[in-house]
Structure formats: C-alpha cells, structure tokens
Amino acid sequence: MSNTLITDKSYINGKWIKGTQSFDVINPATHKVIASVADLTVADCRKAIDHAYAAWPGWRDLEAFKRSNLIMEWFRRIMDAKNELAHIMTLESGKPLAESLKEVDYGASFVEWFAEEAKRAYGETIPAPKMGQRLLTIRQAVGVVSAITPWNFPLAMITRKVAPALAAGCTVVLRPASQTPLTALALALMAHQSGFPPGVFNVITGKDSKGIGQELATNDKIRKISFTGSTEVGRSLMQQAAGTIKKVSLELGGNAPFLVFDDADIDAAVKGAIIGKFRNSGQTCVSVNRFLVQDGIFDAFAKKLTTAVKKLNVGNGLDDGVQVGPLINQDGVDKVKAHVTDALDRGAKLLTGGKAKSGFFYQPTVLADVDVKALVAQEETFGPVCALFRFKKEEEGIAMANDTEFGLAAYFYSNGVNRCWRVAEQIEAGMVGINTGLLSNAVAPFGGIKQSGMGREGSKHGLDEYTELKYLCFE
Ligand code: SIN
C-alpha cells in the first residue's frame, strides 16, 4: 500500500524542515528501512520553542469556540485517514493492524473530547467571607508546553497530551520517540491541513533524545512538560524541570497486578488476561505484569490461560489474523529473555512458550508458580509473558499486589460485590479494572500514583493539567 501520509521532515512554525542529517526508521517486523527522517538538533529545538512562544498569545486569546472548531477539524481529518494512519503505525511500531486501527479510534477520541472541552474551561464563584467582596476563579492557559511521547502508542500518546494543551490555549513543541516519528509527522500534516496557525503545534524529530529532552525540560519559555515513558527518564526530566519550576505531568512505568480470586468467573478472567497482557505484545504501561491467582482456582486458571495463549497468532502485523507482533527492538527481546531465564532459574514452571523467535519476535509465554523475588515480579517486563503467582488469603493477595514502588493500573476478577469494593479501595493504583482487562478511554482519568507518575490525562481533569487556576478578589 502506498501511503501519502509518510513524510520525512520535521514541522516547525508551519513549515517542513529537512535538517542537515537524517536517521532511519525501521520496521521491527522485517528490519527494513521505512523512511529516513530529519535528525534535528538542540538548536533546532530551541527555534521551535521560540516560535511556539511567539504564537502563544494569539492562540491563547482566540475565542475558545474557534480553537474548538480547529481541533474538531483535526479530529475529522484523522478519522478520514484512519487506514493510512494505521498502516504507518503498524509499519513503524510492529503492532497488528487491527490494533493500529483501534488506536486511531482511541487516539482520535482524545482530539474529539478536548475539542469539546475547550468550551468548558469553567471557573467558579466563591461566597466571600467579607461584606462587599466578590471572589471568583478563572482558568488560563499555562503557556508553551513540551510533550515527549513514547513508541508504544505512536498516535494516542500524542493526542492525549497535544489535544488538551491546544484546547486550553497552550502552544506545543512535541518530541515523538525516534522509533515512531512517522505517525507524529502524519498528525502534524493533518493539523497543518486543518488550519492551525504557524507555531501553535511543532514536531521535532531527532535521535538526540537526551539533548532535546534537556532543552524541553529546562528552556524557560516552556511552562509545562508532559512526558510518557520510563520512571528513570521521568525522574531525570522532573529534576531538570525543577530549575524553572515548570508544571510537570508524568505517565511512567507500571507493574500491574491482575488478581483472580476464587469466586471469579474463570473464562471471563482468561479473556481479560489476554487483552490485559497481549495488547501491543505486552508493551504498554498498563500491561499486566503479575498474575496473582488464589490457590483454589490457580490450576484451572493456569490451564485455561495456557490454552488461550497457545492459540495466539504471532507474526508481521500487516498479515491477516496476526494478534501478536514483534517487540520494538533487540533490547526489548533481551529484557524478556532475561526475565524468563531468571524466573525459570528460581523454580518457575514453563507452561508454554519461553523462547525468542527470529528477529524481534518472542513466543507468547506462560510461567506458573513464579517466585515473588523474580525479575518478572520486580520490573516491568514489557513483553508477551504471563507470570503466575499463587496466594491463599485475600489480604495476602492485596499485600502482594501493593508490594511494588509502582501504582499505575491494577486489575482483579471477583463476583463478590463486597469483595469488589474492599479490594478496589485497598489497591494502590491510579486505575483499577474490576472484571475487565482494558480500562483506557478518553472520558476517564488516566494516570498513576507512587513512582508511576503524577497528573491525569483524558477526562475533564485532563484539561486542568494545561491551565492555571487564577483567583480574583473584587472589593
Ligand atoms: C501506555 O502504555 O502508556 C498507554 C496505554 C493506554 O493508553 O492504554
């Protein structure tokens, strides 16, 4: 399929910039070069920030309805280009085409939602403590926003940040992951065609993630940085942003538990487990990392899950019927290999899989009776491995679930209404899926606690992240 949305230039101040160097974007399924994209420098990044800064007052002061109309036009163009966008995403990220098509819907839903929310940046009136006073609050755009986004959701992680920022009246400099810049540039093309004024949305592509990241975190024209990625990088960006006291939103790593209690519907739990674990080959921040299964149901759940995992079709995401694509690169494969070897060395039983295939592919794997000290329990595996741990009592399961420095997503299955309330309230996570393995959508607040980050994306709260609350006192 030829794809008219593939572009190899960065987008700054409404212009397409080639730069002096380029870098290759590789298809992880075939290792073939898809395109060679502008490799911009820190100096180019600084220029983009200057343009975004200059464009900010005009964009901020535009009537909210006009900003909303432009963002809605962007939404329509994204939806009209659904097939081409999905094709680009599968080429550069490896995810199965069916998942890429779903990601276009998911990513576009943030654009539609925040186009609507642009009109609803409400303030409030406050009963005054003193006669003759009138107190109120207004919400105002933060200023220039920098956004740094990952490769695992090349479209949705961008729209989840950029759409609310634009809706609030902020201008944006985006640095997409160097593995998946093509989707970001296609989004910029559609924003350009939608008629956004120059400088409002800028996309910097480049290999120098450290240098560009540092500029985006320290430049004093930027008032807010939003990052999705590893906890390690998030911590460093937060430290750098402290120098100019920027507002910070961080969506970082997870170590999601998936508890299956004795009173759960096993078939429903297996279905949820497959979605929660194998979406994007296990490379999502909300992927299940630890299956904590109560003793009485452990063997039955393990058996049914293994049967379902064996049926998964692994291959090139562009091929019909493929459900599990490759991992993003060799580092991803090496991490999965190390985690599986470590679990087996500590006495885990291998129920299926357990081997790397050629290229960046890894067999969907199930490990049972894994030791809680194993790497798979401690770190985010980011691959297609189900690690099953056994627990006896509800309190023990909850304690195991919370025994991590992370707190992004958690899931559990139970048919007991009292248990559902009890467990949901005790789990330490920003998001809890109850009898479901998929909880992401545009209308609910996405984000974590503990070392999984701060701030919320999506929902009515997503707009607040890009506004300042100003208090007015009239007398
Ligand atoms: C992520 O992996 O960071 C996002 C996953 C999602 O939006 O569901």
Side-chain angles (χ1 to χ4, degrees):
M1 170 181 179
S2 75
N3 200 313
T4 56
L5 293 181
I6 292 188
T7 165
D8 55 4
K9 296 180 189 68
S10 278
Y11 182 66
I12 300 177
N13 198 31
K15 298 197 176 65
W16 297 96
I17 310 292
K18 200 166 173 352
T20 49
Q21 309 221 33
S22 63
F23 66 94
D24 290 341
V25 182
I26 308 290
N27 178 339
T30 61
H31 301 200
K32 288 200 178 120
V33 175
I34 310 161
S36 211
V37 170
D39 188 7
L40 295 196
T41 62
V42 172
D44 296 318
C45 177
R46 216 167 281 139
K47 277 186 211 151
I49 295 169
D50 288 344
H51 286 299
Y53 189 71
W56 180 48
W59 182 247
R60 175 194 63 199
D61 296 343
L62 199 65
E63 295 91 314
F65 277 76
K66 290 196 177 147
R67 285 203 304 270
S68 169
N69 286 343
L70 282 167
I71 299 168
M72 199 54 100
E73 178 59 22
W74 193 28
F75 163 72
R76 279 190 282 270
R77 285 178 185 269
I78 292 170
M79 291 308 288
D80 286 349
K82 181 168 172 175
N83 290 328
E84 280 184 289
L85 277 168
H87 180 242
I88 294 179
M89 249 191 288
T90 293
L91 283 180
E92 64 180 355
S93 75
K95 69 175 62 182
L97 193 59
E99 283 195 34
S100 295
L101 288 163
K102 281 193 195 139
E103 187 176 339
V104 180
D105 289 337
Y106 177 47
S109 71
F110 291 104
V111 182
E112 184 184 35
W113 173 265
F114 285 109
E116 290 157 352
E117 288 297 287
K119 298 177 274 187
R120 297 182 194 121
Y122 299 129
E124 61 195 344
T125 56
I126 304 168
K130 197 173 144 199
M131 270 299 250
Q133 270 187 337
R134 300 287 181 273
L135 313 186
L136 54 122
T137 62
I138 54 171
R139 289 211 165 263
Q140 293 185 308
V142 167
V144 181
V145 168
S146 60
I148 304 181
T149 53
W151 47 263
N152 61 344
F153 286 85
L155 193 150
M157 296 305 97
I158 293 175
T159 54
R160 197 156 78 181
K161 296 181 192 308
V162 175
L166 297 179
C170 301
T171 55
V172 179
V173 179
L174 165 73
R175 194 244 170 211
S178 56
Q179 292 90 341
T180 55
L182 299 172
T183 306
L185 294 173
L187 283 175
L189 184 63
M190 280 174 277
H192 183 80
Q193 291 164 347
S194 303
F196 286 96
V200 165
F201 178 39
N202 307 275
V203 182
I204 296 281
T205 54
K207 283 294 265 185
D208 182 7
S209 57
K210 220 167 169 186
I212 294 174
Q214 187 176 355
E215 188 61 32
L216 294 175
T218 57
N219 190 305
D220 62 6
K221 289 189 174 136
I222 288 180
R223 291 308 321 138
K224 153 110 197 184
I225 178 161
S226 179
F227 169 74
T228 295
S230 72
T231 296
E232 194 192 341
V233 175
R235 188 176 289 117
S236 159
L237 290 170
M238 191 174 170
Q239 276 161 354
Q240 295 173 53
T244 45
I245 317 284
K246 292 190 201 319
K247 278 170 93 86
V248 177
S249 289
L250 301 171
E251 201 259 279
L252 307 176
N255 185 357
F258 183 107
L259 294 121
V260 190
F261 289 100
D262 282 349
D263 59 358
D265 173 336
I266 301 191
D267 294 318
V270 168
K271 211 167 147 216
I274 295 290
I275 300 166
K277 179 72 244 185
F278 291 96
R279 180 171 171 236
N280 199 17
S281 307
Q283 304 171 108
T284 91
C285 299
V286 290
S287 288
V288 179
N289 210 48
R290 297 168 293 150
F291 288 91
L292 311 176
V293 189
Q294 202 161 10
D295 210 26
I297 210 172
F298 189 97
D299 293 339
F301 176 77
K303 194 165 169 215
K304 288 195 170 187
L305 179 65
T306 305
T307 306
V309 168
K310 281 183 176 162
K311 287 189 193 143
L312 290 172
N313 186 359
V314 182
N316 184 330
L318 287 180
D319 293 343
D320 278 350
V322 165
Q323 293 158 295
V324 180
L327 298 179
I328 191 72
N329 56 26
Q330 191 57 45
D331 286 350
V333 178
D334 291 345
K335 185 169 191 191
V336 173
K337 273 189 193 164
H339 279 199
V340 171
T341 306
D342 171 74
L344 294 173
D345 287 349
R346 290 172 189 270
K349 292 186 205 102
L350 181 66
L351 302 187
T352 185
K355 287 209 165 47
K357 299 171 72 162
S358 66
F360 299 153
F361 291 93
Y362 197 94
Q363 288 177 329
T365 296
V366 182
L367 299 165
D369 288 310
V370 183
D371 181 347
V372 288
K373 297 228 159 38
L375 288 174
V376 271
Q378 307 293 327
E379 297 173 9
E380 199 173 25
T381 303
F382 241 54
V385 179
C386 303
L388 273 54
F389 304 80
R390 204 184 277 267
F391 69 90
K392 288 204 166 69
K393 293 213 154 69
E394 182 183 299
E395 310 83 82
E396 187 194 354
I398 294 170
M400 285 166 79
N402 290 341
D403 186 19
T404 166
E405 70 264 31
F406 297 107
L408 188 60
Y411 310 85
F412 70 88
Y413 275 73
S414 163
N415 276 335
V417 72
N418 291 337
R419 169 171 275 164
C420 284
W421 281 110
R422 226 171 23 239
V423 178
E425 286 174 2
Q426 287 181 69
I427 291 262
E428 295 171 1
M431 300 173 280
V432 183
I434 303 158
N435 294 326
T436 178
L438 183 68
L439 38 63
S440 312
N441 58 55
V443 304
F446 190 104
I449 61 170
K450 294 160 91 175
Q451 293 191 36
S452 287
M454 57 182 64
R456 292 295 178 269
E457 298 190 314
S459 79
K460 65 175 184 161
H461 305 288
L463 194 72
D464 292 349
E465 300 281 332
Y466 298 93
T467 64
E468 298 282 10
L469 189 64
K470 187 183 275 180
Y471 157 51
L472 309 181
C473 174
F474 285 77
E475 193 161 327

